[in-house]
Amino acid sequence: MKGGTNAESMPARLSFAVFWHILPGSMQSVESVVPALTPAALSAEVQLPIVGMSCASCVNRIERYLRKTPGVAEANVNLATEVATVRYLPEIAGLDELARAIEAAGYEVRQMPVAADGARGTLLDEADAEAAVRSREQRTLGLTAAASLVVAALAMLVMYLPNAPWTMEQAAWLLIGPATAVQFLAGRRFYRAALRAARHGTTSMDTLVVVGTSAAWAFSVLVTFAPDLLRSAGIEPQTYFDSSTAIIGLILTGRWLEARAKGQTVGAVKALIGLQARSARIVRAGAEIDVPLEDVRVGDLVRVRPGERVPVDGRVVDGASAVDESMLTGEPIPAEKGAGAEVIGGTMNGHGTFLFRATRVGRDTALAQIVDLVRRAQGSKAPIQRLADRIAAVFVPIVLVVGAATFALWFVAGPEPRLTHALVAFITVVVIACPCAMGLATPTAIMVGTGNGAESGILIRGGEALELAAGIDAVIFDKTGTLTRGRPSLGEVVPAPGFAANEVLDIAASVERGSEHPLAGAILAAAAEKSLGRRPVEDFGAIAGRGVRGRVEGRLVLVGTAAFLGAEGVELGALAAPAESSAAVTYVAVDGRAAGLLPTIDEIKPEAAEAVRGLTAAGVEVWLVTGDQARAAAAVAAAVGIAPERVMAEVLPAGKAEAVASLQARGLRVAMVGDGINDAPALAQADVGIAIGTGADVALEASDVTLVGGDPRSVAAAIGLSRQTLRVIRQNLAWAFGYNVVLIPVAVGVLYPIAGITLNPAMAAGAMALSSVSVVSNSLRLRRSTKRSFAARPSRG
């Protein structure tokens, strides 16, 4: 369980990036809820593309070598993406050391990454390079597979043509040249990988292919050159050039189909990268000029015309338009943008035109960070994969032992010609075994699941989060910004006797300028309309979940909850009963005397009730835990359908984490949904932390799942997506294990004494290729089914 002790769990949850994303003014609030970071949190992370992997045993070996490297905290290798994701301490290990560890394992790094300072080019440049590599690899596989299959068909025709004008010995001489070319030209990728593994004292799937096809080819060459030698030993000369070429051809065909299918699993990343503009129109020296995207700098003024994509992140300074953000948030209704509004790079402008100032460019844009998060998620592992990894570590050596035992059994106790039967059985066993399917079962499903989520505004941090989310029993919602819009408006100020309404608003807004609470925003907005709230403040202090204090013109001002003022000895008197039961009330005191109250109303999101119904229908307990007042919390809970006994109000940040822990103590797997700094401890304590993407960056960093659009219905969608993905992973693993458990014994010959059934090497190669393709295809089926689920979700509007 992720929960555990807060001090232990949070540093691992909050990465070093937290402090780079926090606004300077928020540091005091952060320090009140975030413990000191451990050295593990100061690590860097890099993704290294690897050349030469073919099966799950390759993955296991590379991870083992990387984890032995000093300074490496964690290493995960994804067979589907052929990428190693490594978390390491830069002061101990560098990229060169990581590359050497991979080379020591017998593999190569395709390209060395560089620092994210723009030197890597744009996302589109990177995507184009990756696409070129994939296309070249697929083309090479396709051509060599086709050539091999042509030779195999020719071999079968020559060897088995009825009434052929040549003898079998003459046929062998006709085939030795083409078969040798296939063996060592088309099959050289297998030899290179197998020799690389052998040099390091290990084996892989390529070892099985090389051993099986080499045995068939070598025996056939011996038959071709010395048939009489075999006859003198009582062995009928028979060549297997058709088997050796068919095995290589079918396995290459399987890898070609697998590569094409794996290309589709990364469709979500390609779709996200495709949102990026290639150029931007910036204003310099009073003139508008088009520049490549990589030339845009923070602070540049950028013009966006009708129908254009927003090139980078920024804030509108002039003009207005409606911007389609559905590709990032899943929200189908365009968002209105005017002066002061934030715009996201990659979104599509409508019919208006506007000028904005760039605030984040290059690798710092929201789109780039989303792409990076999805890539990391797709390169991660789910705990369910551990069994497959353990089996893969010993799979190939066991298969070789089984193959040798099969040869011995058939040679000693099999029917005549015993050597022929023994050789065929040996080749069939080593060829039919497939660790590939085990290696692809989990990562391909995770790639499709997390990719589909990203296209719908649901960002899942990794395979572990996805697996945990599938088993969620209870969901805890924060109120402000989660079930409500998070943009409260100020009602009518109620002054206490001796104070004027504007005076109360003025001094309260002056102190609230140092606060980040959403209610403070409502107070400041109302004060700004009246040109109030600009008095100087001294000795400012914030008490998390309670309120703020400060001195205004020498007077001590307290602004916060009734409990906060009560703890400071302030008697509220008649102010203790607010006029509107659904309003959250902020109290103001001056020099120990109640000065007035400020009622704020935060509109409930129209889709909140539907979100609660969806979770309840899925068998999930729904709770509301908030720091707001009990009356306001009860009103929101009643409106969205949360039972009164599952509402906790006036809860401090530490109390939210305790609420999560209390549900976990009942044996429930708990998800926490929040959007603020004060939610970070609970997000870290929860089994799955779900952050609203419009909230504070600390909350996003502490979360396992981020809902980019802020739609609470996406919580149920994320849980449903996780359950579907885990179901497909289990199907894939069942197929991968079942395939090997069933077909390896058949290849050994267990059915021969009963029914006279055996398998030939060509059938084994076809079955092995089909097993990997079947696993990837099943994962792609998840892509279609989850898209239908998201499409069926009604939109707001």
Side-chain angles (χ1 to χ4, degrees):
M1 182 177 288
K2 189 183 85 184
T5 306
N6 228 23
E8 294 174 352
S9 62
M10 281 193 64
R13 308 287 310 122
L14 299 177
S15 71
F16 184 60
V18 170
F19 286 106
W20 295 115
H21 291 304
I22 295 172
L23 296 175
S26 68
M27 187 58 73
Q28 183 174 6
S29 300
V30 174
E31 289 172 347
S32 66
V33 296
V34 180
L37 294 181
T38 64
L42 303 179
S43 60
E45 188 169 283
V46 68
Q47 292 189 315
L48 302 166
I50 299 175
V51 177
M53 290 196 300
S54 60
C55 64
S57 58
C58 303
V59 170
N60 189 279
R61 182 163 59 256
I62 296 171
E63 287 179 345
R64 192 168 66 249
Y65 273 77
L66 282 170
R67 288 168 181 164
K68 288 192 301 185
T69 304
V72 171
E74 185 180 357
N76 286 315
V77 178
N78 189 310
L79 178 61
T81 58
E82 298 177 340
V83 168
T85 302
V86 186
R87 185 161 57 84
Y88 65 102
L89 298 175
E91 66 272 19
I92 299 177
L95 296 179
D96 289 339
E97 285 80 4
L98 300 181
R100 281 196 289 270
I102 292 171
E103 289 166 0
Y107 302 86
E108 300 172 10
V109 177
R110 186 168 64 236
Q111 60 186 38
M112 290 299 293
V114 296
D117 58 358
R120 287 166 58 184
T122 66
L123 289 172
L124 283 169
D125 294 335
E126 197 172 279
D128 290 343
E130 290 177 2
V133 171
R134 285 186 179 275
S135 177
R136 187 165 56 249
E137 174 67 9
Q138 287 183 27
R139 189 166 54 250
T140 302
L141 278 171
L143 290 174
T144 52
S148 301
L149 290 176
V150 168
V151 172
L154 208 61
M156 292 178 187
L157 180 67
V158 169
M159 291 177 64
Y160 304 116
L161 181 68
N163 303 317
W166 51 73
T167 64
M168 290 299 291
E169 292 180 12
Q170 291 172 329
W173 283 104
L174 290 172
L175 294 174
I176 190 171
T180 301
V182 168
Q183 186 71 31
F184 297 104
L185 295 179
R188 63 184 171 184
R189 65 174 60 231
F190 303 117
Y191 280 95
R192 279 202 304 263
L195 290 172
R196 196 161 47 225
R199 280 199 302 270
H200 295 86
T202 60
T203 55
S204 69
M205 192 200 103
D206 298 291
T207 305
L208 299 178
V209 175
V210 165
V211 169
T213 59
S214 297
W217 175 84
F219 184 77
S220 301
V221 169
L222 179 62
V223 168
T224 304
F225 281 97
D228 293 336
L229 178 64
L230 294 174
R231 286 195 187 96
S232 64
I235 300 170
E236 180 64 27
Q238 185 174 350
T239 62
Y240 293 96
F241 288 130
D242 58 328
S243 295
S244 65
T245 53
I247 290 170
I248 290 175
L250 287 169
I251 292 175
L252 289 175
T253 301
R255 289 198 178 180
W256 175 71
L257 292 171
E258 182 185 314
R260 285 173 58 87
K262 285 196 293 187
Q264 295 179 51
T265 65
V266 297
V269 171
K270 290 194 292 187
L272 287 169
I273 292 175
L275 299 177
Q276 188 180 63
R278 290 188 177 272
S279 62
R281 177 169 287 254
I282 63 174
V283 179
R284 286 183 181 167
E288 295 183 2
I289 57 173
D290 288 325
V291 299
L293 192 66
E294 55 266 34
D295 290 345
V296 180
R297 299 290 179 262
V298 172
D300 280 346
L301 286 175
V302 184
R303 169 71 66 185
V304 181
R305 294 174 294 189
E308 291 183 337
R309 288 201 182 278
V310 178
V312 296
D313 298 353
R315 191 175 295 277
V316 177
V317 296
D318 185 48
S321 185
V323 178
D324 181 4
E325 298 179 338
S326 61
M327 62 285 292
L328 293 177
T329 67
E331 173 55 63
I333 301 174
E336 296 293 332
K337 302 292 183 181
E342 290 188 1
V343 290
I344 304 172
T347 55
M348 181 68 74
N349 184 31
H351 297 296
T353 181
F354 58 88
L355 193 68
F356 74 92
R357 190 173 300 280
T359 56
R360 290 192 294 262
V361 301
R363 303 280 163 172
D364 295 326
T365 64
L367 177 61
Q369 292 181 31
I370 289 172
V371 169
D372 184 59
L373 189 150
V374 174
R375 280 177 166 165
R376 290 169 192 267
Q378 292 184 339
S380 66
K381 286 191 176 185
I384 197 172
Q385 191 174 343
R386 291 171 187 158
L387 176 61
D389 288 344
R390 287 197 295 269
I391 292 175
V394 296
F395 184 82
V396 173
I398 289 175
V399 169
L400 289 173
V401 170
V402 171
T406 301
F407 180 90
L409 180 65
W410 279 90
F411 188 73
V412 171
E416 294 293 346
R418 285 182 295 175
L419 178 61
T420 299
H421 282 296
L423 183 63
V424 169
F426 170 75
I427 295 169
T428 303
V429 168
V430 298
V431 168
I432 204 168
C434 186
C436 287
M438 287 187 288
L440 293 169
T442 301
T444 52
I446 289 176
M447 288 171 68
V448 175
T450 55
N452 280 3
E455 290 183 281
S456 301
I458 300 171
L459 305 180
I460 301 173
R461 193 170 290 274
E464 182 178 3
L466 189 144
E467 184 172 337
L468 287 170
I472 289 299
D473 303 304
V475 170
I476 296 177
F477 281 100
D478 178 43
K479 180 178 78 68
T480 305
T482 304
L483 293 176
T484 65
R485 291 195 181 279
R487 296 190 295 270
S489 58
L490 186 66
E492 184 177 353
V493 179
V494 180
F499 291 88
N502 280 354
E503 180 187 9
V504 173
L505 179 59
D506 189 21
I507 58 177
S510 297
V511 178
E512 288 281 22
R513 280 206 312 270
S515 173
E516 290 187 333
H517 197 281
L519 298 184
I523 295 170
L524 292 172
E529 292 178 359
K530 300 181 179 181
S531 298
L532 300 174
R534 298 174 181 172
R535 300 189 189 189
V537 178
E538 298 177 343
D539 301 330
F540 172 83
I543 296 84
R546 296 288 190 177
V548 294
R549 67 169 70 227
R551 290 194 175 274
V552 179
E553 298 174 352
R555 296 188 294 174
L556 177 62
V557 178
L558 305 176
V559 184
T561 65
F564 173 48
L565 269 65
E568 296 291 329
V570 177
E571 294 287 340
L572 296 178
L575 292 177
E580 297 179 77
S581 63
S582 63
V585 177
T586 300
Y587 293 90
V588 183
V590 177
D591 286 336
R593 176 186 167 197
L597 63 84
L598 307 171
T600 49
I601 302 171
D602 193 1
E603 182 184 353
I604 297 172
K605 291 179 179 179
E607 59 273 4
E610 185 182 340
V612 173
R613 285 195 301 271
L615 287 166
T616 303
V620 177
E621 286 187 17
V622 183
W623 289 71
L624 175 62
V625 179
T626 176
D628 287 344
Q629 295 146 11
R631 191 171 298 187
V636 170
V640 301
I642 298 176
E645 63 271 17
R646 292 180 180 170
V647 178
M648 299 174 65
E650 301 181 21
V651 179
L652 297 176
K656 291 183 180 182
E658 291 170 3
V660 173
S662 68
L663 291 181
Q664 290 172 332
R666 288 172 44 197
L668 300 178
R669 185 174 288 179
V670 182
M672 173 71 197
V673 186
D675 77 326
I677 290 174
N678 62 343
D679 296 322
L683 288 168
Q685 173 68 32
D687 296 285
V688 178
I690 303 177
I692 299 296
T694 54
D697 288 324
V698 176
L700 306 189
E701 289 294 336
S703 66
D704 301 292
V705 179
T706 299
L707 310 180
V708 177
D711 186 342
R713 293 175 300 179
S714 296
V715 176
I719 293 173
L721 170 66
S722 299
R723 289 176 177 177
Q724 285 180 296
T725 304
L726 193 62
R727 190 179 307 122
V728 168
I729 289 174
R730 287 173 175 151
Q731 291 169 356
N732 286 349
L733 288 173
W735 167 257
F737 287 126
Y739 163 88
N740 285 292
V741 167
V742 172
L743 289 188
I744 289 179
V746 174
V748 169
V750 294
L751 295 181
Y752 183 80
I754 303 170
I757 296 174
T758 59
L759 296 177
N760 65 51
M763 292 172 61
M768 190 270 281
L770 181 63
S771 67
S772 297
V773 175
S774 298
V775 163
V776 179
S777 299
N778 191 45
S779 296
L780 290 174
R781 184 180 58 81
L782 171 68
R783 181 173 177 81
R784 293 189 293 272
S785 64
T786 52
K787 278 192 174 296
R788 284 196 299 270
S789 299
F790 288 127
R793 189 179 68 186
S795 63
R796 288 188 232 178

